[in-house]
Amino acid sequence: MIEELILKNRSCRRFYQSRQVDKETLLDLVNLGRLCASGANRQPLKYIISCNRDKNADIFSCLAWAAYLKDWDGPVEGERPAAYILILGDTEIAKEFFCDHGIAAQSILLGAREKGLAGCMIASINREKLRSLLNIPEQHQLLLAIAIGAPREEIVIDPVGPDGSIRYWRDSSGVHHVPKRDLNEIIIGSYQ
């Protein structure tokens, strides 16, 4: 059921780094992105995949993790992603990418969860450094990085508390809590 898959699809930031993700799995996931809807069917998205330890280290060095967790610099060695999918927009095909990369990324992450993997969509990227490290041509705009691996953390959804804070947090046991607004709070019109 799609709701169960969506409930499991939390932004995972700690992985079993030693559990490899192979190239074929990454290609299967990118294929899900390829099959998604695209504005005017332009299909301007391109991808870079990595399950190579050295390239993963390069990519990791360009990412910022979990802005709300001020005392955490990101996953430590042994908890880092085993793979990455970078989503790029080809500016020779389109100048604007609208929500294409969001649609593709969500589909990739749902596919990862279906395979027992987890991931995290990351937009806080040192784009120029990553462009240089991976020799990404100028025509490709770096849109998102998706970290992929076997999940090493428990993530739960909580209702937004009385203080109204939507900031995610970790408890003393390391469980990652993600507050979500109530359905009745987000419906502002209902016509029957």
Side-chain angles (χ1 to χ4, degrees):
M1 188 159 128
I2 190 71
E3 184 178 3
E4 290 174 25
L5 200 53
I6 290 170
L7 287 171
K8 290 180 186 177
N9 187 34
R10 303 292 92 207
S11 292
C12 181
R13 296 175 180 88
R14 292 180 292 181
F15 304 88
Y16 289 101
Q17 189 172 347
S18 62
R19 294 189 192 165
Q20 294 300 307
V21 176
D22 60 27
K23 179 181 177 182
E24 291 72 30
T25 298
L26 294 176
L27 291 173
D28 288 347
L29 295 175
V30 168
N31 193 48
L32 296 174
R34 179 186 71 85
L35 295 171
C36 288
S38 173
N41 201 33
R42 286 190 186 96
Q43 304 171 63
L45 301 181
K46 302 293 172 82
Y47 301 85
I48 294 173
I49 60 174
S50 176
C51 52
N52 174 282
R53 187 169 178 82
D54 293 334
K55 289 299 177 189
N56 285 356
D58 287 344
I59 295 167
F60 180 85
S61 75
C62 297
L63 305 178
W65 294 81
Y68 286 156
L69 303 178
K70 300 297 183 197
D71 60 342
W72 189 67
D73 294 327
V76 297
E77 189 65 40
E79 293 184 336
R80 294 182 178 163
Y84 290 95
I85 297 173
L86 305 179
I87 303 179
L88 304 104
D90 188 333
T91 60
E92 291 185 1
I93 296 173
K95 299 302 178 207
E96 298 290 331
F97 306 104
F98 303 104
C99 60
D100 280 19
H101 53 296
I103 296 168
Q106 180 71 347
S107 298
I108 288 167
L109 287 170
L110 289 171
R113 285 308 299 158
E114 188 176 57
K115 292 177 179 293
L117 300 170
C120 185
M121 211 183 300
I122 303 169
S124 185
I125 304 166
N126 183 333
R127 286 170 170 78
E128 290 313 308
K129 179 181 174 186
L130 190 53
R131 179 179 300 284
S132 175
L133 287 170
L134 300 183
N135 299 312
I136 300 171
E138 286 297 322
Q139 81 184 54
H140 296 110
Q141 183 180 338
L142 186 50
L143 303 171
L144 287 172
I146 303 175
I148 302 282
R152 190 177 186 153
E153 67 182 345
E154 181 182 353
I155 305 165
V156 296
I157 295 175
D158 295 328
V160 171
D163 65 353
S165 176
I166 47 80
R167 295 170 78 87
Y168 50 80
W169 56 283
R170 289 206 178 121
D171 65 25
S172 59
S173 299
V175 175
H176 191 87
H177 293 261
V178 182
K180 291 293 183 181
R181 298 182 198 284
D182 187 78
L183 180 62
N184 292 324
E185 182 182 346
I186 64 170
I187 301 295
I188 61 167
S190 178
Y191 308 96
Q192 300 173 21

